[in-house]
Amino acid sequence: MKKFIHDMLVVGRRNINTHYYILELKAPDVLPEIIPGQFVQVEIKGNKNVFLRRPISIHDINTEENTIKLLIQKLGEGTNTLSHIKSGEKLNIIYPLGNWFSKPHEDNLLLVGGGCGIAPLLYLSRYLSERNYKVTTLIGGASKGDIIEPDEYRKYGDVFITTMDGSLGERGLVTEHSLFKAKKFEYSMVYTCGPLAMMKAISRFAVLHGKPCEVSLENMMACGIGACLCCVVETRHGNKCTCTEGPIYNSKELVGWI
Amino acid sequence: MIDLGVTIKDLYLKNPVMTASGTFGYGEEFTDFFDIARLGGIFVKGTTGAHREGNAYPRMAETPMGMLNAVGLQNKGVDYFISDIYPRIKDIDTHFIVNVSGSTVEEYIEVASKLNELDKIPAIELNISCPNVKEGGMAFGTSCHSASTVTKAIREVYKKTLIVKLSPNVTNIAEMAVAVEAAGADSVSLINTLLGMAIDAERKRPLLSTITGGLSGPAVKPIALRMVWQVSKAVKIPVIGMGGIMTATDAIEFLLCGATAIQIGTANFIDPAVSVKIIDGIEDYLRRHRHNSVYDIIGGLR
Ligand SMILES: Cc1cc2nc3c(=O)[nH]c(=O)nc-3n(C[C@H](O)[C@H](O)[C@H](O)COP(=O)(O)OP(=O)(O)OC[C@H]3O[C@@H](n4cnc5c(N)ncnc54)[C@H](O)[C@@H]3O)c2cc1C
Ligand SMILES: Cc1cc2nc3c(=O)[nH]c(=O)nc-3n(C[C@H](O)[C@H](O)[C@H](O)COP(=O)(O)O)c2cc1C
Ligand code: FES
C-alpha cells in the first residue's frame, strides 16, 4: 500500500471533554485507500520537548469529503500541544501505516475497546456493518467521561458499557461484563484495542472459548515505516515491527499472551 | 554547472548525501516518498554473521532534541542479506554500502569476506562503535589497539573501499582515526551514537530495556561537528560526517569542518524525504556562494 506525506487541512477540532478530542483532517488530494486498524504518524509543531512524530489510529474516514478523523487522548506533551491546533491550520501526517484488522470468516463479531483504545474500532464497526456483519461493541472506561460517543457505535450494532465507578453501564472491569459470564460465548471473533492488561484478559477469554482474537498494539515508535526497528514485539516467529507487521496481531502470535 | 560529485577512495558518489545505517532500512521503506536513486549512497543496517533478534522492547526513548535507541543489531545475518536482499537492491542506481558488525574478529572477517564477493556492493562500513551489544561492537572501537587489529584483519580479506565507523565514546577520537588509517582504512565515518540514559522518575525505572542506549539527533550535532573537525585535521583519508543532521545547513557545516560526504540518520524518521531536500539545499548553497563544486567548501572553515 503506497504511503503518503500530506499536509492535511484541519477542518474540525472537537473536545469530547478535558481528556479527549477529535480532529477532522482533509487531504489535499483524493484520500488513499485506508483499511480499519491503520494509523498515521503526526508531526507535532510548536513544542521543543517533542521531537518525534506521534502514532495515532485512524478513527474513521469519509471518502466523499476526503477527510479522516483522529480520536486523541491528552497523555503527555505531544498530545496536549496538538490539542491546541485550530481549524484552518495544516497538520503534516504520514499515512496510511501498518496492517489492518482481518476480514472475519464467520458472522457475529465482538469489538472491545478500553478508553481511548476505542479509536480504531469506529471505522471497523462501520466497515463490518456495511459488509453485512453483525457487530456488537463493548466499551469500557474508568468513568463515564471515558466512554467516548457510544451513540456512534450504536449506528452499527448493539453497544454495552462498563465503568469502574459504575457511572455508566455495568460497574467493574470490561472483562467482568455479563457478556463474558453468559453460558455460551456466542461471538465468532473478537477485535480489541485498549490497555495491555485488558487486551490480554479479553484475548485469554476468547482463546479459551476457541475464538480468534485480534489485538491492536500501541508500541512506542520512532519512524512508523519499518526503518528503525524500535517498535518490535516478540512473536512466535521472532521480533516483528509493530508499525509494519502490526499494529494488529492475532493474539496467538504474541509471546506471553496465552 | 554545479558538480555535486565526490570520491571516497575509488568510490565515486554523485552527491555527498547518504543515509545512515540503521535509520533507512534497505531503502525500500522510503521508495514511496522519493526516488532513492538520487542519493549518493545508502548505508544498510548493521549486518552480522548470524541472525540476531536484537534487544528486548522498549528499545527507544525520546529525549530533548533527539532519541536513545537500543535496537542491538537486529538483522537476519549476512547469508540472508546475500540471498534475499541483495537481489532486490542491486540494480538500484545508487551505492549500497553494508554496515558490518560482529562479536569477534572472526565474525567480522566472515561477513566482510562474503560481501567482498558481491559485485554491486562497492564498500563496507566497519561498525566498531555499536553501543548496544554486550560483546564486540563498541568494545573494538574504544581502544586504538583493538580498532587497529580488527581493521587490519578486514583489510586483508576486503579488497574494495573500506570505511571504518568510529565511536564518539572515547577520550580522543582523532587518535582512533589515525590508528585505523594506519591499519588500512580508506575512510572513516563518524559519529556513531553517544552512550546515554533516560529514566522515568515517577516509576523509578529506566526507559530502555538495556538501561543505557545510543543518543542521536540534533542534540549530538555540536559534539559530532567538533569530532569531524578534529578527525579531518588528523588524517589524510576522506571523512564521512554525521550526527544530528536535519537540514542542508547542518550538512554544509559538516562539509566545512572537513567531511567529504555526510550521512543522515534520525532525521529520516521525522521527514522520510529529508535527504533529497538536503541534496537540493546543498546545490542551492553552492550556487548562492558562487562555487562550482562541493570540493570548494569541503574543509572550507575560515
Ligand atoms: C499504532 C498506534 C496507534 C495509536 N492510536 C492512538 C489513538 O488513536 N489515540 C490516542 O490518543 N493515542 C493513540 N496511540 C498512543 C499515542 O501514540 C501516545 O499516547 C502518544 O504518542 C503520547 O504522546 P505524548 O507526547 O502526548 O506523550 P509523552 O509525553 O510522549 O508520554 C507521556 C507518558 O506516556 C508514556 N507513553 C507514551 N507513548 C506510549 C506508548 N505508545 N505506550 C506506552 N506508554 C507510552 C510515556 O512513557 C510517558 O510516561 C497510538 C499508538 C500507536 C503505536
Ligand atoms: C534506530 C537507530 C539504529 C541504528 N543502527 C545502527 C547500526 O546498525 N549500525 C551503525 O553503525 N549505526 C547505527 N545507528 C547510528 C547511526 O547510523 C548514526 O551514526 C547516528 O544515529 C548519528 O546520526 P544521526 O544523529 O543523524 O542519527 C543507528 C541509529 C539509530 C537512531
Ligand atoms: S517505528 Fe521504526 S520500525 Fe517501527
Side-chain angles (χ1 to χ4, degrees), chain B residues 273-288:
Chain B
V274 70
S275 38
V276 260
K277 294 175 188 164
I278 291 178
I279 299 171
D280 295 341
I282 294 175
E283 189 168 352
D284 244 33
Y285 175 90
L286 294 175
R287 188 171 296 119
R288 276 197 294 113

mmCIF file with all atom_site columns, all heavy atoms in Angstrom, chain B residues 273-288:
data_model
loop_
_atom_site.group_PDB
_atom_site.id
_atom_site.type_symbol
_atom_site.label_atom_id
_atom_site.label_alt_id
_atom_site.label_comp_id
_atom_site.label_asym_id
_atom_site.label_entity_id
_atom_site.label_seq_id
_atom_site.pdbx_PDB_ins_code
_atom_site.Cartn_x
_atom_site.Cartn_y
_atom_site.Cartn_z
_atom_site.occupancy
_atom_site.B_iso_or_equiv
_atom_site.pdbx_formal_charge
_atom_site.auth_seq_id
_atom_site.auth_comp_id
_atom_site.auth_asym_id
_atom_site.auth_atom_id
_atom_site.pdbx_PDB_model_num
ATOM 1   N N   . ALA B 1 273 ? 11.512 12.159 3.523  1.00 0.00 ? 273 ALA B N   1
ATOM 2   C CA  . ALA B 1 273 ? 12.031 12.705 2.267  1.00 0.00 ? 273 ALA B CA  1
ATOM 3   C C   . ALA B 1 273 ? 13.094 13.769 2.505  1.00 0.00 ? 273 ALA B C   1
ATOM 4   O O   . ALA B 1 273 ? 13.495 14.484 1.591  1.00 0.00 ? 273 ALA B O   1
ATOM 5   C CB  . ALA B 1 273 ? 10.887 13.291 1.444  1.00 0.00 ? 273 ALA B CB  1
ATOM 6   N N   . VAL B 1 274 ? 13.618 13.840 3.732  1.00 0.00 ? 274 VAL B N   1
ATOM 7   C CA  . VAL B 1 274 ? 14.537 14.931 4.080  1.00 0.00 ? 274 VAL B CA  1
ATOM 8   C C   . VAL B 1 274 ? 15.810 14.900 3.239  1.00 0.00 ? 274 VAL B C   1
ATOM 9   O O   . VAL B 1 274 ? 16.357 15.944 2.892  1.00 0.00 ? 274 VAL B O   1
ATOM 10  C CB  . VAL B 1 274 ? 14.867 14.912 5.596  1.00 0.00 ? 274 VAL B CB  1
ATOM 11  C CG1 . VAL B 1 274 ? 15.731 13.728 5.984  1.00 0.00 ? 274 VAL B CG1 1
ATOM 12  C CG2 . VAL B 1 274 ? 15.520 16.211 6.034  1.00 0.00 ? 274 VAL B CG2 1
ATOM 13  N N   . SER B 1 275 ? 16.303 13.705 2.891  1.00 0.00 ? 275 SER B N   1
ATOM 14  C CA  . SER B 1 275 ? 17.608 13.654 2.220  1.00 0.00 ? 275 SER B CA  1
ATOM 15  C C   . SER B 1 275 ? 17.614 14.322 0.846  1.00 0.00 ? 275 SER B C   1
ATOM 16  O O   . SER B 1 275 ? 18.605 14.947 0.494  1.00 0.00 ? 275 SER B O   1
ATOM 17  C CB  . SER B 1 275 ? 18.169 12.239 2.178  1.00 0.00 ? 275 SER B CB  1
ATOM 18  O OG  . SER B 1 275 ? 17.157 11.329 1.954  1.00 0.00 ? 275 SER B OG  1
ATOM 19  N N   . VAL B 1 276 ? 16.520 14.197 0.085  1.00 0.00 ? 276 VAL B N   1
ATOM 20  C CA  . VAL B 1 276 ? 16.513 14.928 -1.208 1.00 0.00 ? 276 VAL B CA  1
ATOM 21  C C   . VAL B 1 276 ? 16.490 16.427 -0.990 1.00 0.00 ? 276 VAL B C   1
ATOM 22  O O   . VAL B 1 276 ? 17.084 17.181 -1.761 1.00 0.00 ? 276 VAL B O   1
ATOM 23  C CB  . VAL B 1 276 ? 15.303 14.624 -2.128 1.00 0.00 ? 276 VAL B CB  1
ATOM 24  C CG1 . VAL B 1 276 ? 15.661 13.642 -3.189 1.00 0.00 ? 276 VAL B CG1 1
ATOM 25  C CG2 . VAL B 1 276 ? 14.070 14.266 -1.383 1.00 0.00 ? 276 VAL B CG2 1
ATOM 26  N N   . LYS B 1 277 ? 15.790 16.856 0.063  1.00 0.00 ? 277 LYS B N   1
ATOM 27  C CA  . LYS B 1 277 ? 15.757 18.298 0.344  1.00 0.00 ? 277 LYS B CA  1
ATOM 28  C C   . LYS B 1 277 ? 17.172 18.782 0.674  1.00 0.00 ? 277 LYS B C   1
ATOM 29  O O   . LYS B 1 277 ? 17.558 19.902 0.340  1.00 0.00 ? 277 LYS B O   1
ATOM 30  C CB  . LYS B 1 277 ? 14.814 18.595 1.517  1.00 0.00 ? 277 LYS B CB  1
ATOM 31  C CG  . LYS B 1 277 ? 13.362 18.276 1.170  1.00 0.00 ? 277 LYS B CG  1
ATOM 32  C CD  . LYS B 1 277 ? 12.424 18.449 2.350  1.00 0.00 ? 277 LYS B CD  1
ATOM 33  C CE  . LYS B 1 277 ? 11.034 17.934 1.995  1.00 0.00 ? 277 LYS B CE  1
ATOM 34  N NZ  . LYS B 1 277 ? 10.189 17.729 3.176  1.00 0.00 ? 277 LYS B NZ  1
ATOM 35  N N   . ILE B 1 278 ? 17.945 17.913 1.342  1.00 0.00 ? 278 ILE B N   1
ATOM 36  C CA  . ILE B 1 278 ? 19.316 18.288 1.693  1.00 0.00 ? 278 ILE B CA  1
ATOM 37  C C   . ILE B 1 278 ? 20.203 18.339 0.448  1.00 0.00 ? 278 ILE B C   1
ATOM 38  O O   . ILE B 1 278 ? 21.015 19.256 0.289  1.00 0.00 ? 278 ILE B O   1
ATOM 39  C CB  . ILE B 1 278 ? 19.850 17.358 2.808  1.00 0.00 ? 278 ILE B CB  1
ATOM 40  C CG1 . ILE B 1 278 ? 19.068 17.671 4.106  1.00 0.00 ? 278 ILE B CG1 1
ATOM 41  C CG2 . ILE B 1 278 ? 21.360 17.522 2.996  1.00 0.00 ? 278 ILE B CG2 1
ATOM 42  C CD1 . ILE B 1 278 ? 19.408 16.825 5.298  1.00 0.00 ? 278 ILE B CD1 1
ATOM 43  N N   . ILE B 1 279 ? 20.016 17.406 -0.481 1.00 0.00 ? 279 ILE B N   1
ATOM 44  C CA  . ILE B 1 279 ? 20.783 17.449 -1.742 1.00 0.00 ? 279 ILE B CA  1
ATOM 45  C C   . ILE B 1 279 ? 20.496 18.773 -2.452 1.00 0.00 ? 279 ILE B C   1
ATOM 46  O O   . ILE B 1 279 ? 21.408 19.509 -2.833 1.00 0.00 ? 279 ILE B O   1
ATOM 47  C CB  . ILE B 1 279 ? 20.414 16.261 -2.674 1.00 0.00 ? 279 ILE B CB  1
ATOM 48  C CG1 . ILE B 1 279 ? 20.731 14.921 -2.001 1.00 0.00 ? 279 ILE B CG1 1
ATOM 49  C CG2 . ILE B 1 279 ? 21.143 16.386 -4.019 1.00 0.00 ? 279 ILE B CG2 1
ATOM 50  C CD1 . ILE B 1 279 ? 20.213 13.701 -2.757 1.00 0.00 ? 279 ILE B CD1 1
ATOM 51  N N   . ASP B 1 280 ? 19.209 19.089 -2.590 1.00 0.00 ? 280 ASP B N   1
ATOM 52  C CA  . ASP B 1 280 ? 18.838 20.328 -3.273 1.00 0.00 ? 280 ASP B CA  1
ATOM 53  C C   . ASP B 1 280 ? 19.348 21.563 -2.534 1.00 0.00 ? 280 ASP B C   1
ATOM 54  O O   . ASP B 1 280 ? 19.787 22.529 -3.156 1.00 0.00 ? 280 ASP B O   1
ATOM 55  C CB  . ASP B 1 280 ? 17.310 20.418 -3.433 1.00 0.00 ? 280 ASP B CB  1
ATOM 56  C CG  . ASP B 1 280 ? 16.775 19.326 -4.359 1.00 0.00 ? 280 ASP B CG  1
ATOM 57  O OD1 . ASP B 1 280 ? 17.582 18.758 -5.127 1.00 0.00 ? 280 ASP B OD1 1
ATOM 58  O OD2 . ASP B 1 280 ? 15.566 19.028 -4.308 1.00 0.00 ? 280 ASP B OD2 1
ATOM 59  N N   . GLY B 1 281 ? 19.308 21.490 -1.210 1.00 0.00 ? 281 GLY B N   1
ATOM 60  C CA  . GLY B 1 281 ? 19.754 22.628 -0.395 1.00 0.00 ? 281 GLY B CA  1
ATOM 61  C C   . GLY B 1 281 ? 21.251 22.878 -0.527 1.00 0.00 ? 281 GLY B C   1
ATOM 62  O O   . GLY B 1 281 ? 21.700 24.025 -0.529 1.00 0.00 ? 281 GLY B O   1
ATOM 63  N N   . ILE B 1 282 ? 22.034 21.791 -0.652 1.00 0.00 ? 282 ILE B N   1
ATOM 64  C CA  . ILE B 1 282 ? 23.487 21.959 -0.819 1.00 0.00 ? 282 ILE B CA  1
ATOM 65  C C   . ILE B 1 282 ? 23.765 22.617 -2.176 1.00 0.00 ? 282 ILE B C   1
ATOM 66  O O   . ILE B 1 282 ? 24.564 23.546 -2.286 1.00 0.00 ? 282 ILE B O   1
ATOM 67  C CB  . ILE B 1 282 ? 24.223 20.598 -0.697 1.00 0.00 ? 282 ILE B CB  1
ATOM 68  C CG1 . ILE B 1 282 ? 24.100 20.054 0.731  1.00 0.00 ? 282 ILE B CG1 1
ATOM 69  C CG2 . ILE B 1 282 ? 25.700 20.744 -1.085 1.00 0.00 ? 282 ILE B CG2 1
ATOM 70  C CD1 . ILE B 1 282 ? 24.685 18.662 0.938  1.00 0.00 ? 282 ILE B CD1 1
ATOM 71  N N   . GLU B 1 283 ? 23.047 22.164 -3.188 1.00 0.00 ? 283 GLU B N   1
ATOM 72  C CA  . GLU B 1 283 ? 23.238 22.740 -4.517 1.00 0.00 ? 283 GLU B CA  1
ATOM 73  C C   . GLU B 1 283 ? 22.903 24.243 -4.511 1.00 0.00 ? 283 GLU B C   1
ATOM 74  O O   . GLU B 1 283 ? 23.644 25.055 -5.063 1.00 0.00 ? 283 GLU B O   1
ATOM 75  C CB  . GLU B 1 283 ? 22.369 21.986 -5.533 1.00 0.00 ? 283 GLU B CB  1
ATOM 76  C CG  . GLU B 1 283 ? 22.683 22.395 -6.941 1.00 0.00 ? 283 GLU B CG  1
ATOM 77  C CD  . GLU B 1 283 ? 22.068 21.473 -7.989 1.00 0.00 ? 283 GLU B CD  1
ATOM 78  O OE1 . GLU B 1 283 ? 21.504 20.418 -7.632 1.00 0.00 ? 283 GLU B OE1 1
ATOM 79  O OE2 . GLU B 1 283 ? 22.166 21.830 -9.170 1.00 0.00 ? 283 GLU B OE2 1
ATOM 80  N N   . ASP B 1 284 ? 21.820 24.565 -3.857 1.00 0.00 ? 284 ASP B N   1
ATOM 81  C CA  . ASP B 1 284 ? 21.400 25.959 -3.702 1.00 0.00 ? 284 ASP B CA  1
ATOM 82  C C   . ASP B 1 284 ? 22.465 26.817 -3.040 1.00 0.00 ? 284 ASP B C   1
ATOM 83  O O   . ASP B 1 284 ? 22.750 27.929 -3.472 1.00 0.00 ? 284 ASP B O   1
ATOM 84  C CB  . ASP B 1 284 ? 20.196 25.965 -2.746 1.00 0.00 ? 284 ASP B CB  1
ATOM 85  C CG  . ASP B 1 284 ? 18.967 26.452 -3.422 1.00 0.00 ? 284 ASP B CG  1
ATOM 86  O OD1 . ASP B 1 284 ? 18.842 26.193 -4.632 1.00 0.00 ? 284 ASP B OD1 1
ATOM 87  O OD2 . ASP B 1 284 ? 18.149 27.089 -2.721 1.00 0.00 ? 284 ASP B OD2 1
ATOM 88  N N   . TYR B 1 285 ? 23.031 26.281 -1.976 1.00 0.00 ? 285 TYR B N   1
ATOM 89  C CA  . TYR B 1 285 ? 24.066 26.994 -1.224 1.00 0.00 ? 285 TYR B CA  1
ATOM 90  C C   . TYR B 1 285 ? 25.278 27.256 -2.117 1.00 0.00 ? 285 TYR B C   1
ATOM 91  O O   . TYR B 1 285 ? 25.829 28.359 -2.148 1.00 0.00 ? 285 TYR B O   1
ATOM 92  C CB  . TYR B 1 285 ? 24.457 26.157 -0.004 1.00 0.00 ? 285 TYR B CB  1
ATOM 93  C CG  . TYR B 1 285 ? 25.609 26.712 0.820  1.00 0.00 ? 285 TYR B CG  1
ATOM 94  C CD1 . TYR B 1 285 ? 25.375 27.582 1.883  1.00 0.00 ? 285 TYR B CD1 1
ATOM 95  C CD2 . TYR B 1 285 ? 26.928 26.360 0.531  1.00 0.00 ? 285 TYR B CD2 1
ATOM 96  C CE1 . TYR B 1 285 ? 26.430 28.085 2.638  1.00 0.00 ? 285 TYR B CE1 1
ATOM 97  C CE2 . TYR B 1 285 ? 27.985 26.853 1.277  1.00 0.00 ? 285 TYR B CE2 1
ATOM 98  C CZ  . TYR B 1 285 ? 27.732 27.717 2.333  1.00 0.00 ? 285 TYR B CZ  1
ATOM 99  O OH  . TYR B 1 285 ? 28.773 28.202 3.078  1.00 0.00 ? 285 TYR B OH  1
ATOM 100 N N   . LEU B 1 286 ? 25.687 26.197 -2.868 1.00 0.00 ? 286 LEU B N   1
ATOM 101 C CA  . LEU B 1 286 ? 26.855 26.354 -3.738 1.00 0.00 ? 286 LEU B CA  1
ATOM 102 C C   . LEU B 1 286 ? 26.593 27.443 -4.775 1.00 0.00 ? 286 LEU B C   1
ATOM 103 O O   . LEU B 1 286 ? 27.458 28.273 -5.065 1.00 0.00 ? 286 LEU B O   1
ATOM 104 C CB  . LEU B 1 286 ? 27.192 25.024 -4.421 1.00 0.00 ? 286 LEU B CB  1
ATOM 105 C CG  . LEU B 1 286 ? 27.657 23.899 -3.481 1.00 0.00 ? 286 LEU B CG  1
ATOM 106 C CD1 . LEU B 1 286 ? 27.845 22.599 -4.261 1.00 0.00 ? 286 LEU B CD1 1
ATOM 107 C CD2 . LEU B 1 286 ? 28.949 24.270 -2.760 1.00 0.00 ? 286 LEU B CD2 1
ATOM 108 N N   . ARG B 1 287 ? 25.375 27.459 -5.300 1.00 0.00 ? 287 ARG B N   1
ATOM 109 C CA  . ARG B 1 287 ? 25.024 28.470 -6.298 1.00 0.00 ? 287 ARG B CA  1
ATOM 110 C C   . ARG B 1 287 ? 25.083 29.866 -5.682 1.00 0.00 ? 287 ARG B C   1
ATOM 111 O O   . ARG B 1 287 ? 25.690 30.775 -6.226 1.00 0.00 ? 287 ARG B O   1
ATOM 112 C CB  . ARG B 1 287 ? 23.620 28.173 -6.840 1.00 0.00 ? 287 ARG B CB  1
ATOM 113 C CG  . ARG B 1 287 ? 23.232 29.039 -8.023 1.00 0.00 ? 287 ARG B CG  1
ATOM 114 C CD  . ARG B 1 287 ? 21.932 28.578 -8.677 1.00 0.00 ? 287 ARG B CD  1
ATOM 115 N NE  . ARG B 1 287 ? 22.034 27.252 -9.252 1.00 0.00 ? 287 ARG B NE  1
ATOM 116 C CZ  . ARG B 1 287 ? 21.291 26.202 -8.878 1.00 0.00 ? 287 ARG B CZ  1
ATOM 117 N NH1 . ARG B 1 287 ? 20.397 26.317 -7.917 1.00 0.00 ? 287 ARG B NH1 1
ATOM 118 N NH2 . ARG B 1 287 ? 21.445 25.033 -9.467 1.00 0.00 ? 287 ARG B NH2 1
ATOM 119 N N   . ARG B 1 288 ? 24.477 30.008 -4.506 1.00 0.00 ? 288 ARG B N   1
ATOM 120 C CA  . ARG B 1 288 ? 24.455 31.322 -3.843 1.00 0.00 ? 288 ARG B CA  1
ATOM 121 C C   . ARG B 1 288 ? 25.854 31.832 -3.544 1.00 0.00 ? 288 ARG B C   1
ATOM 122 O O   . ARG B 1 288 ? 26.120 33.022 -3.588 1.00 0.00 ? 288 ARG B O   1
ATOM 123 C CB  . ARG B 1 288 ? 23.665 31.237 -2.533 1.00 0.00 ? 288 ARG B CB  1
ATOM 124 C CG  . ARG B 1 288 ? 22.160 31.375 -2.715 1.00 0.00 ? 288 ARG B CG  1
ATOM 125 C CD  . ARG B 1 288 ? 21.464 31.687 -1.409 1.00 0.00 ? 288 ARG B CD  1
ATOM 126 N NE  . ARG B 1 288 ? 21.554 30.599 -0.438 1.00 0.00 ? 288 ARG B NE  1
ATOM 127 C CZ  . ARG B 1 288 ? 22.222 30.653 0.690  1.00 0.00 ? 288 ARG B CZ  1
ATOM 128 N NH1 . ARG B 1 288 ? 22.883 31.752 1.039  1.00 0.00 ? 288 ARG B NH1 1
ATOM 129 N NH2 . ARG B 1 288 ? 22.254 29.612 1.508  1.00 0.00 ? 288 ARG B NH2 1
#
